[in-house]
């Protein structure tokens, strides 16, 4: 269960200049909607939002984020991919912040279908480059995560906190009432992780490439957009499992049976 004092967010990392914050639980997760997580990085008083979510979450995410930072100090919003649960709030976010949106170039012409979007505030990561620099000099690294599951897809590694935001990778779908913020025991959580990855992730070729680059970063925590935040031994246990997973087109005969 998500503890009562965690509903309005939890600081996952903090030093004098830099914070990485989980923005709390979606109360609808209790009614069978997949639990979604939003995250906020604050560096030198300026904010970056990670996958702030769809329209129905907007009011709650605004309320929780505002406890930590004024909305006009949010400079950037990162979307791992184009799914509505990640990005359908885009027009609302552009309205209440002056942030730029960082997303794979593949989705620049699709996201405006979620509302009126000023294209001059959209930044394609392929053209921008793979690092975003915070005021302190710390780096947010955009990591290719294409085909996991989206065609144009990125993870984001916050070097200073050692936290990897993995988007849909590592997503867990916990039964109602069993939601948890941290995943400590990977084996116990696996039944809630495996079905999604076997069907949505493109193939072992891609999962193993992603795992290889993530291992080099040695993340302290892996924070997914659905489900929980991997910590301790669960980080390497998850990477070991994902690197060997057969999924997607590896199992195409069973999908087309
Ligand atoms: Fe998705």
């Amino acid at each position: 269960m998500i503890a009562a004092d965690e509903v309005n967010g939890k600081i996952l990392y903090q030093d004098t200049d830099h914070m990485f914050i989980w923005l709390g639980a979606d109360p609808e997760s209790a009614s069978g909607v997949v639990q979604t997580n939003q995250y906020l990085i604050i560096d030198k008083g300026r904010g970056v939002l990670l996958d702030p979510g769809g329209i129905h979450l907007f009011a709650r995410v605004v309320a929780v984020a505002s406890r930590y930072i004024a909305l006009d100090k949010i400079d950037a919003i990162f979307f791992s991919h184009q799914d509505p649960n990640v990005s359908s709030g885009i027009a609302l976010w552009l309205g209440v912040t002056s942030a730029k949106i960082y997303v794979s170039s593949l989705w620049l012409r699709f996201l405006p279908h979620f509302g009126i979007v000023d294209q001059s505030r959209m930044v394609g990561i392929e053209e921008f480059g793979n690092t975003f620099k915070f005021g302190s000099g710390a780096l947010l690294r955009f990591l290719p995560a294409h085909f996991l599951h989206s065609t144009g897809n990125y993870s984001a590694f916050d070097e200073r906190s050692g936290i990897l935001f993995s988007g849909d990778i590592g997503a867990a779908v916990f039964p109602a009432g069993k939601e948890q913020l941290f995943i400590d025991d990977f084996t116990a959580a696996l039944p809630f992780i495996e079905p999604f990855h076997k069907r949505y992730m493109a193939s072992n070729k891609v999962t193993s490439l992603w795992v290889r680059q993530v291992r080099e970063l040695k993340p302290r925590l892996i924070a997914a957009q659905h489900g929980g935040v991997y910590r301790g031994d669960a980080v390497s246990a998850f990477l070991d499992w994902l690197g060997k997973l057969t999924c997607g087109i590896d199992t195409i005969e069973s999908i087309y049976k």
Side-chain angles (χ1 to χ4, degrees):
M1 283 291 285
I2 303 287
D5 65 344
E6 291 172 342
V7 171
N8 287 317
K10 187 176 180 73
I11 297 169
L12 300 178
Y13 173 86
Q14 182 168 27
D15 65 34
T16 48
D17 287 336
H18 198 88
M19 289 167 98
F20 194 112
I21 305 156
W22 172 72
L23 292 179
D26 175 2
E28 288 187 48
S29 61
S31 61
V33 174
V34 174
Q35 177 190 334
T36 61
N37 300 306
Q38 301 78 40
Y39 302 92
L40 169 67
I41 301 172
I42 300 176
D43 184 281
K44 288 267 185 192
R46 309 296 301 187
V48 175
L49 278 167
L50 307 177
D51 280 3
I55 291 164
H56 73 292
L57 291 180
F58 178 74
R60 187 187 64 79
V61 179
V62 163
V64 181
S66 300
R67 292 161 57 108
Y68 297 95
I69 193 168
L71 296 181
D72 62 0
K73 292 187 172 149
I74 295 174
D75 294 329
I77 298 174
F78 168 77
F79 287 139
S80 58
H81 63 298
Q82 86 296 358
D83 271 348
N85 59 334
V86 168
S87 56
S88 66
I90 181 171
L92 298 169
W93 284 108
L94 286 173
V96 298
T97 69
S98 51
K100 290 199 162 164
I101 304 282
Y102 294 79
V103 66
S104 168
S105 307
L106 270 67
W107 304 122
L108 292 178
R109 287 180 295 166
F110 287 76
L111 291 184
H113 289 278
F114 288 134
I116 297 166
V117 168
D118 174 0
Q119 285 285 349
S120 71
R121 290 169 64 188
M122 304 277 290
V123 181
I125 292 172
E126 284 83 347
E127 286 78 46
F128 174 77
N130 58 7
T131 49
F132 175 92
K133 198 171 188 181
F134 293 106
S136 70
L139 297 179
L140 183 67
R141 289 194 179 278
F142 301 129
L143 239 60
H146 308 304
F147 297 96
L148 297 171
H149 63 93
S150 173
T151 334
N153 195 39
Y154 283 91
S155 305
F157 182 60
D158 180 38
E159 283 195 343
R160 184 131 168 182
S161 65
I163 300 175
L164 174 69
F165 173 66
S166 58
D168 279 351
I169 304 166
V173 184
F174 296 117
K178 292 257 165 41
E179 298 85 2
Q180 56 195 88
L181 171 53
F182 291 109
I183 295 176
D184 294 306
D185 182 343
F186 177 71
T187 309
L190 186 57
F192 312 119
I193 296 166
E194 187 157 42
F196 171 77
H197 290 77
K198 279 200 94 67
R199 182 63 175 82
Y200 280 73
M201 299 302 166
S203 75
N204 179 263
K205 173 104 184 174
V206 216
T207 60
S208 58
L209 280 172
W210 186 84
V211 165
R212 193 169 75 191
Q213 61 178 356
V214 169
R215 276 192 209 286
E216 286 174 18
L217 301 173
K218 298 186 172 59
R220 196 172 62 80
L221 301 174
I222 296 180
Q225 199 233 339
H226 305 287
V229 175
Y230 297 78
R231 70 177 173 186
D233 293 343
V235 171
S236 55
F238 167 64
L239 293 175
D240 289 346
W241 170 80
L242 186 65
K244 292 183 197 133
L245 181 71
T246 53
C247 54
I249 58 171
D250 303 326
T251 61
I252 197 68
E253 281 83 5
S254 68
I255 294 170
Y256 271 74
K257 68 179 179 284

